[in-house]
Amino acid sequence: MRINYKYNYAIPLYRQEEIYTKIGVPLPRVSLSKYVLLTAEALKPLFNLMLKDLVSTSVKVLQADETTFKCILDCKNKDRDKNYVFVYSTSYYDHRIRIYSYSENRSVANPKEILKDYEGYLEVDGYDGYNNIDNVKTARCWVYARRKYTDIVKSLKENQKKGSIAFKLVKQINELFKIEEECRKKKLTPNQILEVRKDKS
């Protein structure tokens, strides 16, 4: 239950400690933290099994991203604001697997370790840390690319927008998104999608 509250409902351990105290259950945050660590250790075999399935995907397309979070070390040490969680996911036309991997930094060591047994494409944003991983070909995300141009369009005056290259590029990328959306609606296979892309994109 404590793990569920922390990760599914985003209720931090200090708030859970307050809730338990109010209902007369003295459960300190240190104990709650230990339960989290023990649960993580117990789930390690499941994580390893999921990772094995993830890197052996038959479609050979994975997605990856990373985000920062604050890590509370303990009462005596300083908190670390720049910790990272990397997420690795199978694509939408595969059996859905998502795994999360903690790192103290944004180093390429994390993706290199997680993807060491993977061979295929990796769809990512603009972060260079995913480059130069053995047997992995990076594919850049259109949403990330589009954002750069929408930022430009937002900065323009109304009478400048339609004549700008950024506006035209956003429109073209939107057309690509429509083609992809149609492929999803029709539940096409990867090979069928490839043919649609060759014909329409």
Side-chain angles (χ1 to χ4, degrees):
M1 191 164 81
R2 292 169 282 274
I3 305 291
N4 186 37
Y5 285 163
K6 178 171 172 55
Y7 293 106
N8 286 333
Y9 297 106
I11 301 174
L13 296 179
Y14 78 88
R15 286 187 52 215
Q16 289 189 45
E17 179 184 23
E18 290 170 7
I19 292 166
Y20 285 118
T21 302
K22 283 178 185 173
I23 61 170
V25 180
L27 200 51
R29 193 182 338 172
V30 173
S31 298
L32 292 170
S33 295
K34 286 179 182 173
Y35 291 135
V36 171
L37 293 171
L38 288 169
T39 304
E41 197 59 39
L43 290 173
K44 214 171 200 174
L46 178 61
F47 175 88
N48 291 334
L49 183 63
M50 290 175 68
L51 176 58
K52 186 179 173 187
D53 285 349
L54 180 99
V55 297
S56 58
T57 170
S58 60
V59 178
K60 300 297 178 196
V61 176
L62 295 179
Q63 296 154 339
D65 201 4
E66 74 291 332
T67 190
T68 59
F69 74 99
K70 185 173 184 174
C71 183
I72 300 170
L73 298 176
D74 60 45
C75 299
K76 295 173 188 171
N77 295 320
K78 275 188 167 183
D79 297 344
R80 258 199 322 264
D81 288 326
K82 283 284 188 176
N83 292 271
Y84 286 84
V85 171
F86 287 77
V87 60
Y88 301 91
S89 175
T90 53
S91 62
Y92 80 93
Y93 38 69
D94 203 349
H95 180 70
R96 204 58 155 159
I97 297 172
R98 279 196 190 100
I99 63 165
Y100 298 85
S101 179
Y102 166 79
S103 179
E104 289 181 3
N105 54 52
R106 205 181 185 195
S107 161
V108 70
N110 188 289
K112 276 194 170 182
E113 176 60 27
I114 293 290
L115 301 173
K116 66 185 177 189
D117 297 324
Y118 174 64
E119 188 172 339
Y121 290 93
L122 182 67
E123 184 183 356
V124 294
D125 59 18
Y127 173 48
D128 288 338
Y130 298 109
N131 296 341
N132 305 316
I133 300 171
D134 293 341
N135 302 315
V136 173
K137 296 175 186 169
T138 53
R140 299 299 174 180
C141 173
W142 276 108
V143 173
Y144 181 82
R146 182 183 178 276
R147 193 178 307 141
K148 304 286 185 184
Y149 297 109
T150 55
D151 288 347
I152 293 169
V153 171
K154 285 176 192 173
S155 72
L156 298 173
K157 293 178 182 170
E158 205 57 47
N159 63 338
Q160 296 175 312
K161 288 181 182 178
K162 286 193 177 177
S164 76
I165 293 171
F167 183 84
K168 289 174 186 170
L169 285 169
V170 169
K171 203 171 173 186
Q172 286 179 333
I173 294 170
N174 287 345
E175 289 300 317
L176 291 174
F177 287 174
K178 283 180 191 173
I179 293 166
E180 294 297 313
E181 186 59 33
E182 282 302 310
C183 290
R184 283 192 187 205
K185 282 180 185 173
K186 292 176 182 174
K187 297 185 178 178
L188 300 183
T189 66
N191 287 337
Q192 289 171 325
I193 292 170
L194 179 61
E195 291 307 310
V196 170
R197 285 175 179 170
K198 284 178 182 176
D199 181 43
K200 294 186 176 179
S201 300

PDB file of all heavy atoms in Angstrom, residues 136-165:
ATOM      1  N   VAL A 136      22.869   0.204 -31.740  1.00  0.00           N
ATOM      2  CA  VAL A 136      21.639   0.996 -31.633  1.00  0.00           C
ATOM      3  C   VAL A 136      21.677   2.146 -32.631  1.00  0.00           C
ATOM      4  O   VAL A 136      22.659   2.877 -32.717  1.00  0.00           O
ATOM      5  CB  VAL A 136      21.463   1.561 -30.196  1.00  0.00           C
ATOM      6  CG1 VAL A 136      20.289   2.515 -30.126  1.00  0.00           C
ATOM      7  CG2 VAL A 136      21.286   0.422 -29.198  1.00  0.00           C
ATOM      8  N   LYS A 137      20.586   2.281 -33.392  1.00  0.00           N
ATOM      9  CA  LYS A 137      20.451   3.402 -34.327  1.00  0.00           C
ATOM     10  C   LYS A 137      19.427   4.358 -33.732  1.00  0.00           C
ATOM     11  O   LYS A 137      18.297   3.959 -33.450  1.00  0.00           O
ATOM     12  CB  LYS A 137      19.956   2.903 -35.690  1.00  0.00           C
ATOM     13  CG  LYS A 137      20.932   1.978 -36.383  1.00  0.00           C
ATOM     14  CD  LYS A 137      20.319   1.440 -37.655  1.00  0.00           C
ATOM     15  CE  LYS A 137      21.243   0.404 -38.279  1.00  0.00           C
ATOM     16  NZ  LYS A 137      20.605  -0.320 -39.358  1.00  0.00           N
ATOM     17  N   THR A 138      19.820   5.607 -33.539  1.00  0.00           N
ATOM     18  CA  THR A 138      18.879   6.566 -32.957  1.00  0.00           C
ATOM     19  C   THR A 138      17.946   7.129 -34.026  1.00  0.00           C
ATOM     20  O   THR A 138      18.358   7.393 -35.153  1.00  0.00           O
ATOM     21  CB  THR A 138      19.604   7.731 -32.254  1.00  0.00           C
ATOM     22  OG1 THR A 138      20.538   8.308 -33.158  1.00  0.00           O
ATOM     23  CG2 THR A 138      20.313   7.269 -31.015  1.00  0.00           C
ATOM     24  N   ALA A 139      16.699   7.292 -33.643  1.00  0.00           N
ATOM     25  CA  ALA A 139      15.682   7.930 -34.484  1.00  0.00           C
ATOM     26  C   ALA A 139      15.126   9.080 -33.661  1.00  0.00           C
ATOM     27  O   ALA A 139      14.736   8.893 -32.513  1.00  0.00           O
ATOM     28  CB  ALA A 139      14.580   6.933 -34.840  1.00  0.00           C
ATOM     29  N   ARG A 140      15.143  10.262 -34.216  1.00  0.00           N
ATOM     30  CA  ARG A 140      14.724  11.447 -33.452  1.00  0.00           C
ATOM     31  C   ARG A 140      13.204  11.622 -33.500  1.00  0.00           C
ATOM     32  O   ARG A 140      12.548  11.298 -34.472  1.00  0.00           O
ATOM     33  CB  ARG A 140      15.411  12.698 -33.996  1.00  0.00           C
ATOM     34  CG  ARG A 140      16.916  12.644 -33.914  1.00  0.00           C
ATOM     35  CD  ARG A 140      17.386  12.510 -32.481  1.00  0.00           C
ATOM     36  NE  ARG A 140      18.830  12.312 -32.434  1.00  0.00           N
ATOM     37  CZ  ARG A 140      19.497  12.178 -31.329  1.00  0.00           C
ATOM     38  NH1 ARG A 140      18.887  12.219 -30.166  1.00  0.00           N
ATOM     39  NH2 ARG A 140      20.797  11.992 -31.351  1.00  0.00           N
ATOM     40  N   CYS A 141      12.684  12.176 -32.440  1.00  0.00           N
ATOM     41  CA  CYS A 141      11.248  12.336 -32.244  1.00  0.00           C
ATOM     42  C   CYS A 141      10.727  13.574 -32.985  1.00  0.00           C
ATOM     43  O   CYS A 141      11.248  14.678 -32.803  1.00  0.00           O
ATOM     44  CB  CYS A 141      10.982  12.458 -30.747  1.00  0.00           C
ATOM     45  SG  CYS A 141       9.301  12.853 -30.342  1.00  0.00           S
ATOM     46  N   TRP A 142       9.682  13.396 -33.796  1.00  0.00           N
ATOM     47  CA  TRP A 142       9.086  14.516 -34.528  1.00  0.00           C
ATOM     48  C   TRP A 142       8.430  15.528 -33.585  1.00  0.00           C
ATOM     49  O   TRP A 142       8.396  16.721 -33.871  1.00  0.00           O
ATOM     50  CB  TRP A 142       8.061  14.014 -35.542  1.00  0.00           C
ATOM     51  CG  TRP A 142       8.688  13.596 -36.839  1.00  0.00           C
ATOM     52  CD1 TRP A 142       8.832  12.320 -37.313  1.00  0.00           C
ATOM     53  CD2 TRP A 142       9.265  14.450 -37.842  1.00  0.00           C
ATOM     54  NE1 TRP A 142       9.474  12.338 -38.526  1.00  0.00           N
ATOM     55  CE2 TRP A 142       9.739  13.628 -38.879  1.00  0.00           C
ATOM     56  CE3 TRP A 142       9.427  15.827 -37.934  1.00  0.00           C
ATOM     57  CZ2 TRP A 142      10.353  14.145 -40.007  1.00  0.00           C
ATOM     58  CZ3 TRP A 142      10.045  16.341 -39.065  1.00  0.00           C
ATOM     59  CH2 TRP A 142      10.500  15.499 -40.089  1.00  0.00           C
ATOM     60  N   VAL A 143       7.889  15.045 -32.480  1.00  0.00           N
ATOM     61  CA  VAL A 143       7.255  15.964 -31.521  1.00  0.00           C
ATOM     62  C   VAL A 143       8.294  16.936 -30.980  1.00  0.00           C
ATOM     63  O   VAL A 143       8.055  18.142 -30.861  1.00  0.00           O
ATOM     64  CB  VAL A 143       6.566  15.183 -30.371  1.00  0.00           C
ATOM     65  CG1 VAL A 143       6.071  16.130 -29.286  1.00  0.00           C
ATOM     66  CG2 VAL A 143       5.423  14.350 -30.905  1.00  0.00           C
ATOM     67  N   TYR A 144       9.464  16.411 -30.659  1.00  0.00           N
ATOM     68  CA  TYR A 144      10.549  17.247 -30.150  1.00  0.00           C
ATOM     69  C   TYR A 144      10.987  18.252 -31.214  1.00  0.00           C
ATOM     70  O   TYR A 144      11.193  19.429 -30.931  1.00  0.00           O
ATOM     71  CB  TYR A 144      11.727  16.361 -29.731  1.00  0.00           C
ATOM     72  CG  TYR A 144      12.899  17.124 -29.178  1.00  0.00           C
ATOM     73  CD1 TYR A 144      12.919  17.544 -27.857  1.00  0.00           C
ATOM     74  CD2 TYR A 144      13.984  17.440 -29.982  1.00  0.00           C
ATOM     75  CE1 TYR A 144      13.990  18.252 -27.342  1.00  0.00           C
ATOM     76  CE2 TYR A 144      15.069  18.149 -29.476  1.00  0.00           C
ATOM     77  CZ  TYR A 144      15.064  18.546 -28.162  1.00  0.00           C
ATOM     78  OH  TYR A 144      16.119  19.258 -27.661  1.00  0.00           O
ATOM     79  N   ALA A 145      11.136  17.790 -32.449  1.00  0.00           N
ATOM     80  CA  ALA A 145      11.544  18.687 -33.548  1.00  0.00           C
ATOM     81  C   ALA A 145      10.487  19.766 -33.786  1.00  0.00           C
ATOM     82  O   ALA A 145      10.813  20.947 -33.957  1.00  0.00           O
ATOM     83  CB  ALA A 145      11.762  17.881 -34.825  1.00  0.00           C
ATOM     84  N   ARG A 146       9.219  19.370 -33.756  1.00  0.00           N
ATOM     85  CA  ARG A 146       8.112  20.308 -34.003  1.00  0.00           C
ATOM     86  C   ARG A 146       8.087  21.424 -32.967  1.00  0.00           C
ATOM     87  O   ARG A 146       7.809  22.579 -33.279  1.00  0.00           O
ATOM     88  CB  ARG A 146       6.789  19.544 -33.992  1.00  0.00           C
ATOM     89  CG  ARG A 146       5.568  20.398 -34.279  1.00  0.00           C
ATOM     90  CD  ARG A 146       4.303  19.542 -34.178  1.00  0.00           C
ATOM     91  NE  ARG A 146       3.120  20.315 -34.405  1.00  0.00           N
ATOM     92  CZ  ARG A 146       2.496  21.030 -33.467  1.00  0.00           C
ATOM     93  NH1 ARG A 146       2.966  21.065 -32.226  1.00  0.00           N
ATOM     94  NH2 ARG A 146       1.412  21.711 -33.760  1.00  0.00           N
ATOM     95  N   ARG A 147       8.402  21.053 -31.712  1.00  0.00           N
ATOM     96  CA  ARG A 147       8.372  22.030 -30.615  1.00  0.00           C
ATOM     97  C   ARG A 147       9.283  23.228 -30.887  1.00  0.00           C
ATOM     98  O   ARG A 147       8.961  24.360 -30.557  1.00  0.00           O
ATOM     99  CB  ARG A 147       8.775  21.336 -29.317  1.00  0.00           C
ATOM    100  CG  ARG A 147       8.484  22.151 -28.078  1.00  0.00           C
ATOM    101  CD  ARG A 147       8.867  21.397 -26.822  1.00  0.00           C
ATOM    102  NE  ARG A 147       8.266  20.088 -26.770  1.00  0.00           N
ATOM    103  CZ  ARG A 147       8.888  18.988 -26.320  1.00  0.00           C
ATOM    104  NH1 ARG A 147      10.116  19.056 -25.872  1.00  0.00           N
ATOM    105  NH2 ARG A 147       8.273  17.833 -26.298  1.00  0.00           N
ATOM    106  N   LYS A 148      10.429  22.973 -31.498  1.00  0.00           N
ATOM    107  CA  LYS A 148      11.375  24.057 -31.808  1.00  0.00           C
ATOM    108  C   LYS A 148      10.730  25.082 -32.741  1.00  0.00           C
ATOM    109  O   LYS A 148      10.905  26.287 -32.583  1.00  0.00           O
ATOM    110  CB  LYS A 148      12.640  23.496 -32.473  1.00  0.00           C
ATOM    111  CG  LYS A 148      13.359  22.437 -31.675  1.00  0.00           C
ATOM    112  CD  LYS A 148      14.099  23.043 -30.513  1.00  0.00           C
ATOM    113  CE  LYS A 148      14.921  21.995 -29.789  1.00  0.00           C
ATOM    114  NZ  LYS A 148      15.570  22.506 -28.613  1.00  0.00           N
ATOM    115  N   TYR A 149       9.977  24.571 -33.719  1.00  0.00           N
ATOM    116  CA  TYR A 149       9.339  25.471 -34.695  1.00  0.00           C
ATOM    117  C   TYR A 149       8.087  26.140 -34.133  1.00  0.00           C
ATOM    118  O   TYR A 149       7.813  27.298 -34.441  1.00  0.00           O
ATOM    119  CB  TYR A 149       9.024  24.717 -35.985  1.00  0.00           C
ATOM    120  CG  TYR A 149      10.279  24.217 -36.649  1.00  0.00           C
ATOM    121  CD1 TYR A 149      10.586  22.857 -36.665  1.00  0.00           C
ATOM    122  CD2 TYR A 149      11.194  25.096 -37.220  1.00  0.00           C
ATOM    123  CE1 TYR A 149      11.758  22.400 -37.256  1.00  0.00           C
ATOM    124  CE2 TYR A 149      12.362  24.646 -37.808  1.00  0.00           C
ATOM    125  CZ  TYR A 149      12.639  23.297 -37.818  1.00  0.00           C
ATOM    126  OH  TYR A 149      13.803  22.851 -38.388  1.00  0.00           O
ATOM    127  N   THR A 150       7.325  25.418 -33.296  1.00  0.00           N
ATOM    128  CA  THR A 150       6.145  26.054 -32.692  1.00  0.00           C
ATOM    129  C   THR A 150       6.568  27.196 -31.765  1.00  0.00           C
ATOM    130  O   THR A 150       5.872  28.203 -31.665  1.00  0.00           O
ATOM    131  CB  THR A 150       5.269  25.051 -31.908  1.00  0.00           C
ATOM    132  OG1 THR A 150       6.068  24.386 -30.933  1.00  0.00           O
ATOM    133  CG2 THR A 150       4.614  24.040 -32.819  1.00  0.00           C
ATOM    134  N   ASP A 151       7.724  27.037 -31.111  1.00  0.00           N
ATOM    135  CA  ASP A 151       8.251  28.125 -30.265  1.00  0.00           C
ATOM    136  C   ASP A 151       8.546  29.371 -31.102  1.00  0.00           C
ATOM    137  O   ASP A 151       8.279  30.498 -30.676  1.00  0.00           O
ATOM    138  CB  ASP A 151       9.517  27.683 -29.532  1.00  0.00           C
ATOM    139  CG  ASP A 151       9.233  26.689 -28.420  1.00  0.00           C
ATOM    140  OD1 ASP A 151       8.046  26.521 -28.057  1.00  0.00           O
ATOM    141  OD2 ASP A 151      10.192  26.057 -27.935  1.00  0.00           O
ATOM    142  N   ILE A 152       9.085  29.154 -32.292  1.00  0.00           N
ATOM    143  CA  ILE A 152       9.360  30.284 -33.192  1.00  0.00           C
ATOM    144  C   ILE A 152       8.055  30.936 -33.620  1.00  0.00           C
ATOM    145  O   ILE A 152       7.910  32.167 -33.583  1.00  0.00           O
ATOM    146  CB  ILE A 152      10.172  29.827 -34.432  1.00  0.00           C
ATOM    147  CG1 ILE A 152      11.568  29.381 -34.009  1.00  0.00           C
ATOM    148  CG2 ILE A 152      10.262  30.955 -35.470  1.00  0.00           C
ATOM    149  CD1 ILE A 152      12.346  28.671 -35.102  1.00  0.00           C
ATOM    150  N   VAL A 153       7.085  30.102 -34.027  1.00  0.00           N
ATOM    151  CA  VAL A 153       5.787  30.628 -34.491  1.00  0.00           C
ATOM    152  C   VAL A 153       5.106  31.440 -33.387  1.00  0.00           C
ATOM    153  O   VAL A 153       4.553  32.511 -33.648  1.00  0.00           O
ATOM    154  CB  VAL A 153       4.866  29.480 -34.986  1.00  0.00           C
ATOM    155  CG1 VAL A 153       3.457  29.987 -35.269  1.00  0.00           C
ATOM    156  CG2 VAL A 153       5.463  28.816 -36.227  1.00  0.00           C
ATOM    157  N   LYS A 154       5.181  30.961 -32.154  1.00  0.00           N
ATOM    158  CA  LYS A 154       4.571  31.686 -31.023  1.00  0.00           C
ATOM    159  C   LYS A 154       5.196  33.063 -30.825  1.00  0.00           C
ATOM    160  O   LYS A 154       4.534  33.984 -30.360  1.00  0.00           O
ATOM    161  CB  LYS A 154       4.722  30.873 -29.733  1.00  0.00           C
ATOM    162  CG  LYS A 154       3.790  29.694 -29.626  1.00  0.00           C
ATOM    163  CD  LYS A 154       4.094  28.922 -28.351  1.00  0.00           C
ATOM    164  CE  LYS A 154       3.398  27.579 -28.347  1.00  0.00           C
ATOM    165  NZ  LYS A 154       3.805  26.756 -27.214  1.00  0.00           N
ATOM    166  N   SER A 155       6.467  33.193 -31.171  1.00  0.00           N
ATOM    167  CA  SER A 155       7.156  34.470 -30.963  1.00  0.00           C
ATOM    168  C   SER A 155       6.871  35.495 -32.072  1.00  0.00           C
ATOM    169  O   SER A 155       7.214  36.667 -31.943  1.00  0.00           O
ATOM    170  CB  SER A 155       8.667  34.240 -30.872  1.00  0.00           C
ATOM    171  OG  SER A 155       9.191  33.911 -32.149  1.00  0.00           O
ATOM    172  N   LEU A 156       6.231  35.053 -33.152  1.00  0.00           N
ATOM    173  CA  LEU A 156       5.961  35.948 -34.289  1.00  0.00           C
ATOM    174  C   LEU A 156       4.657  36.701 -34.116  1.00  0.00           C
ATOM    175  O   LEU A 156       3.735  36.226 -33.445  1.00  0.00           O
ATOM    176  CB  LEU A 156       5.898  35.139 -35.589  1.00  0.00           C
ATOM    177  CG  LEU A 156       7.183  34.394 -36.009  1.00  0.00           C
ATOM    178  CD1 LEU A 156       6.895  33.510 -37.217  1.00  0.00           C
ATOM    179  CD2 LEU A 156       8.314  35.363 -36.302  1.00  0.00           C
ATOM    180  N   LYS A 157       4.577  37.855 -34.757  1.00  0.00           N
ATOM    181  CA  LYS A 157       3.312  38.600 -34.798  1.00  0.00           C
ATOM    182  C   LYS A 157       2.387  37.878 -35.768  1.00  0.00           C
ATOM    183  O   LYS A 157       2.830  37.152 -36.663  1.00  0.00           O
ATOM    184  CB  LYS A 157       3.564  40.029 -35.261  1.00  0.00           C
ATOM    185  CG  LYS A 157       4.368  40.834 -34.266  1.00  0.00           C
ATOM    186  CD  LYS A 157       4.636  42.226 -34.778  1.00  0.00           C
ATOM    187  CE  LYS A 157       5.497  42.981 -33.764  1.00  0.00           C
ATOM    188  NZ  LYS A 157       5.980  44.241 -34.297  1.00  0.00           N
ATOM    189  N   GLU A 158       1.091  38.108 -35.590  1.00  0.00           N
ATOM    190  CA  GLU A 158       0.083  37.394 -36.389  1.00  0.00           C
ATOM    191  C   GLU A 158       0.322  37.543 -37.898  1.00  0.00           C
ATOM    192  O   GLU A 158       0.204  36.575 -38.646  1.00  0.00           O
ATOM    193  CB  GLU A 158      -1.321  37.893 -36.005  1.00  0.00           C
ATOM    194  CG  GLU A 158      -2.432  36.910 -36.273  1.00  0.00           C
ATOM    195  CD  GLU A 158      -2.246  35.554 -35.589  1.00  0.00           C
ATOM    196  OE1 GLU A 158      -1.921  35.496 -34.387  1.00  0.00           O
ATOM    197  OE2 GLU A 158      -2.423  34.550 -36.293  1.00  0.00           O
ATOM    198  N   ASN A 159       0.676  38.740 -38.338  1.00  0.00           N
ATOM    199  CA  ASN A 159       0.869  38.972 -39.781  1.00  0.00           C
ATOM    200  C   ASN A 159       2.167  38.354 -40.318  1.00  0.00           C
ATOM    201  O   ASN A 159       2.370  38.260 -41.517  1.00  0.00           O
ATOM    202  CB  ASN A 159       0.821  40.472 -40.104  1.00  0.00           C
ATOM    203  CG  ASN A 159       1.949  41.247 -39.438  1.00  0.00           C
ATOM    204  OD1 ASN A 159       2.516  40.798 -38.446  1.00  0.00           O
ATOM    205  ND2 ASN A 159       2.264  42.408 -39.975  1.00  0.00           N
ATOM    206  N   GLN A 160       3.070  37.910 -39.428  1.00  0.00           N
ATOM    207  CA  GLN A 160       4.333  37.294 -39.856  1.00  0.00           C
ATOM    208  C   GLN A 160       4.238  35.774 -39.944  1.00  0.00           C
ATOM    209  O   GLN A 160       5.038  35.147 -40.631  1.00  0.00           O
ATOM    210  CB  GLN A 160       5.454  37.631 -38.843  1.00  0.00           C
ATOM    211  CG  GLN A 160       5.788  39.098 -38.742  1.00  0.00           C
ATOM    212  CD  GLN A 160       6.803  39.334 -37.631  1.00  0.00           C
ATOM    213  OE1 GLN A 160       6.647  38.828 -36.518  1.00  0.00           O
ATOM    214  NE2 GLN A 160       7.847  40.087 -37.940  1.00  0.00           N
ATOM    215  N   LYS A 161       3.266  35.192 -39.254  1.00  0.00           N
ATOM    216  CA  LYS A 161       3.212  33.742 -39.110  1.00  0.00           C
ATOM    217  C   LYS A 161       3.107  32.992 -40.429  1.00  0.00           C
ATOM    218  O   LYS A 161       3.927  32.139 -40.732  1.00  0.00           O
ATOM    219  CB  LYS A 161       2.061  33.337 -38.178  1.00  0.00           C
ATOM    220  CG  LYS A 161       2.344  33.664 -36.730  1.00  0.00           C
ATOM    221  CD  LYS A 161       1.225  33.240 -35.827  1.00  0.00           C
ATOM    222  CE  LYS A 161       1.532  33.638 -34.386  1.00  0.00           C
ATOM    223  NZ  LYS A 161       0.466  33.286 -33.475  1.00  0.00           N
ATOM    224  N   LYS A 162       2.080  33.306 -41.232  1.00  0.00           N
ATOM    225  CA  LYS A 162       1.817  32.521 -42.437  1.00  0.00           C
ATOM    226  C   LYS A 162       2.953  32.548 -43.446  1.00  0.00           C
ATOM    227  O   LYS A 162       3.168  31.583 -44.173  1.00  0.00           O
ATOM    228  CB  LYS A 162       0.504  32.949 -43.083  1.00  0.00           C
ATOM    229  CG  LYS A 162      -0.696  32.458 -42.321  1.00  0.00           C
ATOM    230  CD  LYS A 162      -1.975  32.606 -43.090  1.00  0.00           C
ATOM    231  CE  LYS A 162      -3.132  32.034 -42.286  1.00  0.00           C
ATOM    232  NZ  LYS A 162      -4.406  32.219 -42.955  1.00  0.00           N
ATOM    233  N   GLY A 163       3.717  33.614 -43.474  1.00  0.00           N
ATOM    234  CA  GLY A 163       4.817  33.713 -44.430  1.00  0.00           C
ATOM    235  C   GLY A 163       6.118  33.107 -43.930  1.00  0.00           C
ATOM    236  O   GLY A 163       7.103  33.031 -44.666  1.00  0.00           O
ATOM    237  N   SER A 164       6.128  32.644 -42.677  1.00  0.00           N
ATOM    238  CA  SER A 164       7.389  32.153 -42.104  1.00  0.00           C
ATOM    239  C   SER A 164       7.644  30.691 -42.465  1.00  0.00           C
ATOM    240  O   SER A 164       6.724  29.899 -42.635  1.00  0.00           O
ATOM    241  CB  SER A 164       7.374  32.308 -40.586  1.00  0.00           C
ATOM    242  OG  SER A 164       6.565  31.312 -40.001  1.00  0.00           O
ATOM    243  N   ILE A 165       8.922  30.340 -42.559  1.00  0.00           N
ATOM    244  CA  ILE A 165       9.319  28.959 -42.827  1.00  0.00           C
ATOM    245  C   ILE A 165       8.900  28.071 -41.651  1.00  0.00           C
ATOM    246  O   ILE A 165       8.451  26.938 -41.848  1.00  0.00           O
ATOM    247  CB  ILE A 165      10.844  28.869 -43.069  1.00  0.00           C
ATOM    248  CG1 ILE A 165      11.204  29.584 -44.375  1.00  0.00           C
ATOM    249  CG2 ILE A 165      11.320  27.418 -43.110  1.00  0.00           C
ATOM    250  CD1 ILE A 165      12.690  29.749 -44.620  1.00  0.00           C
TER     251      ILE A 165
END
